[in-house]
Amino acid sequence: MKRTTALLIVPAIAVMLFSCSKKNIAVSTTVVTDTSFKQLPFPFGFAVNVSKLRTNIAYKNILLTQATSVSAETVMKIAYLHPAQNTYVWTDADYLVDFAVQNNIRVHGHTLVWHQSLPAWVTNFVGDSAAWENLLKTHIQTIVAHFKGKVTSWDVVNEAIENDGSGYRASSLWYQKLGIGFIARSFQYAHEADPNALLFYNDYGNEWGNTKRNAILNLVNDLKSKGVPINGIGLQMHTDYTQPDANIQTAISTAAATGLKVHISELDISMNPSNNQTLVFNSIIAQQQSDKFKMVAKAFNSIPKAQQYGITTWGIGDADTWITGFYSRPDWPLLFENNYQKKAAFFGVLNSVK
Ligand code: 9MR
């Protein structure tokens, strides 16, 4: 939405709310302010932690005022949704999906088939290849069918390429039990359960260099050429401020060259990649971060419109990030402070398209 339109709409909404509240009529409306990501020309969203959504008002308010898309950070992974062979626990995922649907926010499902977050019943499962195939198919189709019509898109297969791009991830149980065909068949099963859902292959490291990028691009191009129902490629983009712009640009433009929709699906920009335990966030770091976020959003906005599936950051405020725990270091990789105040990088993203 253009700024001028927003400026007209905000007072209009305020008038509506005022006149309705006098008559005690509840109005539900989308809140748009002139500093909202809802003004961006492409969808923008966040990975959501459902317990924070339930309990933290400031967290929830960012979603209401800024998000046009959400992904589940953990509650749609197999260990959470499908903790025993015949048990599905929908509570948290349904809570997120209902919240999003009520507030006109798109839901991107993350993730159906991954080598991590596997429950014991899967890692201990004993069966021949037909039994494993049935396990995979039932898992995918039960979940996709449950959310049919509410979840717009899915990361069907996540991270099936080795960390260094040298081949298919050999340690993946799915690969070991079912062979490389598990990838194509997973897309097929998801498509059967919801033919309208947009299906993505999601991975990290497209911006690292040729080896990983080519391995990922070869995989998705191969799926496409075989007629597998794949609609998009997810670039996780867990990156840091030292990553050269050219590498990020190449990651985005080569993904677009596949013709698939492109989702920057798990964006965070680490400001402490060298693990300095005493680093303190300051205005210089804030500006470096803003420049990098702006660059990413600009590069994304330059691919063809129809392929711009959106940008999702992996968390909302710096307190939400997985990075500080995973690397045991201070870091500030997201767009909002711990208390959900906007950082310089928020405005960097907002201004990227002006
Ligand atoms: O951020 C997620 C963290 O909270 C979970 O503990 C972890 C395991 O489920 O997954 C993290 O998210 C990962 C995502 O699902 C896939 N790409 C890498 C993300 C960061 O590890």
Side-chain angles (χ1 to χ4, degrees):
M1 181 182 307
K2 286 207 182 91
R3 192 189 179 90
T4 44
T5 326
L7 289 175
L8 290 174
I9 285 179
V10 173
I13 290 172
V15 167
M16 247 167 69
L17 286 172
F18 178 69
S19 56
C20 292
S21 67
K22 282 207 297 192
K23 295 179 203 143
N24 245 349
I25 299 169
V27 235
S28 137
T29 183
T30 306
V31 179
V32 181
T33 70
D34 63 346
T35 54
S36 170
F37 286 155
K38 294 190 185 198
Q39 292 169 259
L40 293 169
F42 47 78
F44 197 98
F46 306 90
V48 175
N49 172 319
V50 174
S51 16
K52 290 186 185 179
L53 173 62
R54 287 181 191 275
T55 56
N56 187 324
I57 299 283
Y59 185 94
K60 181 177 174 177
N61 274 340
I62 299 287
L63 293 173
L64 289 172
T65 54
Q66 305 293 340
T68 40
S69 183
V70 285
S71 303
E73 184 171 2
T74 45
V75 301
M76 286 189 182
K77 289 170 183 167
I78 182 167
Y80 291 78
L81 267 191
H82 193 179
Q85 185 158 15
N86 296 311
T87 308
Y88 292 83
V89 178
W90 306 111
T91 328
D92 282 344
D94 278 350
Y95 187 88
L96 173 61
V97 170
D98 291 346
F99 166 80
V101 168
Q102 272 162 25
N103 292 291
N104 224 353
I105 300 171
R106 181 183 77 186
V107 184
H108 175 71
H110 174 86
T111 171
L112 294 167
V113 185
W114 190 25
H115 63 284
Q116 283 188 40
S117 275
L118 293 176
W121 77 268
V122 173
T123 47
N124 298 333
F125 186 80
V126 178
D128 59 12
S129 58
W132 273 98
E133 192 71 28
N134 183 52
L135 184 164
L136 178 76
K137 182 176 181 182
T138 307
H139 168 71
I140 292 173
Q141 296 200 329
T142 306
I143 291 172
V144 174
H146 177 84
F147 295 108
K148 190 175 175 185
K150 293 181 175 174
V151 167
T152 306
S153 50
W154 284 98
D155 287 332
V156 178
V157 176
N158 195 41
E159 303 173 4
I161 300 290
E162 288 285 14
N163 192 55
D164 63 2
S166 57
Y168 293 111
R169 188 181 293 276
S171 63
S172 162
L173 198 61
W174 305 113
Y175 177 64
Q176 291 170 3
K177 301 294 179 188
L178 295 166
I180 202 53
F182 88 86
I183 300 177
R185 295 196 300 276
S186 295
F187 279 86
Q188 198 55 52
Y189 296 147
H191 182 67
E192 283 166 17
D194 183 357
N196 292 323
L198 296 169
L199 305 180
F200 283 71
Y201 175 75
N202 192 51
D203 213 327
Y204 60 86
N206 288 57
E207 69 281 15
W208 293 352
N210 288 338
T211 313
K212 183 85 189 241
R213 178 166 55 249
N214 289 340
I216 294 170
L217 294 175
N218 289 343
L219 167 59
V220 299
N221 283 327
D222 182 54
L223 294 172
K224 247 189 105 183
S225 70
K226 289 180 173 143
V228 172
I230 178 171
N231 306 97
I233 174 168
L235 308 177
Q236 293 185 7
M237 203 75 79
H238 294 290
T239 191
D240 72 75
Y241 80 106
T242 66
Q243 185 63 255
D245 291 358
N247 290 357
I248 294 176
Q249 236 137 20
T250 305
I252 295 172
S253 61
T254 53
T258 63
L260 295 167
K261 290 184 188 299
V262 179
H263 184 199
I264 297 186
S265 55
E266 304 184 15
L267 180 62
D268 39 38
I269 300 184
S270 162
M271 301 313 290
N272 189 11
S274 54
N275 264 308
N276 176 350
Q277 293 301 319
T278 57
L279 189 68
V280 175
F281 194 72
N282 59 36
S283 57
I284 296 169
I285 300 177
Q287 190 53 48
Q288 287 171 325
Q289 181 171 49
S290 177
D291 292 345
K292 202 53 116 186
F293 263 107
K294 187 172 181 175
M295 179 265 136
V296 173
K298 225 173 176 162
F300 181 75
N301 195 38
S302 70
I303 67 172
K305 195 90 259 170
Q307 287 176 265
Q308 293 175 14
Y309 196 63
I311 298 181
T312 300
T313 65
W314 209 239
I316 300 178
D318 286 333
D320 305 330
T321 184
W322 65 287
I323 290 177
T324 45
F326 191 83
Y327 294 105
S328 299
R329 71 180 183 221
D331 215 325
W332 310 268
L334 293 167
L335 297 168
F336 296 83
E337 294 171 4
N338 290 348
N339 59 2
Y340 303 107
Q341 296 302 305
K342 296 170 179 126
K343 290 166 63 182
F346 170 90
F347 297 98
V349 170
L350 204 63
N351 293 331
S352 66
V353 296
K354 287 194 173 151

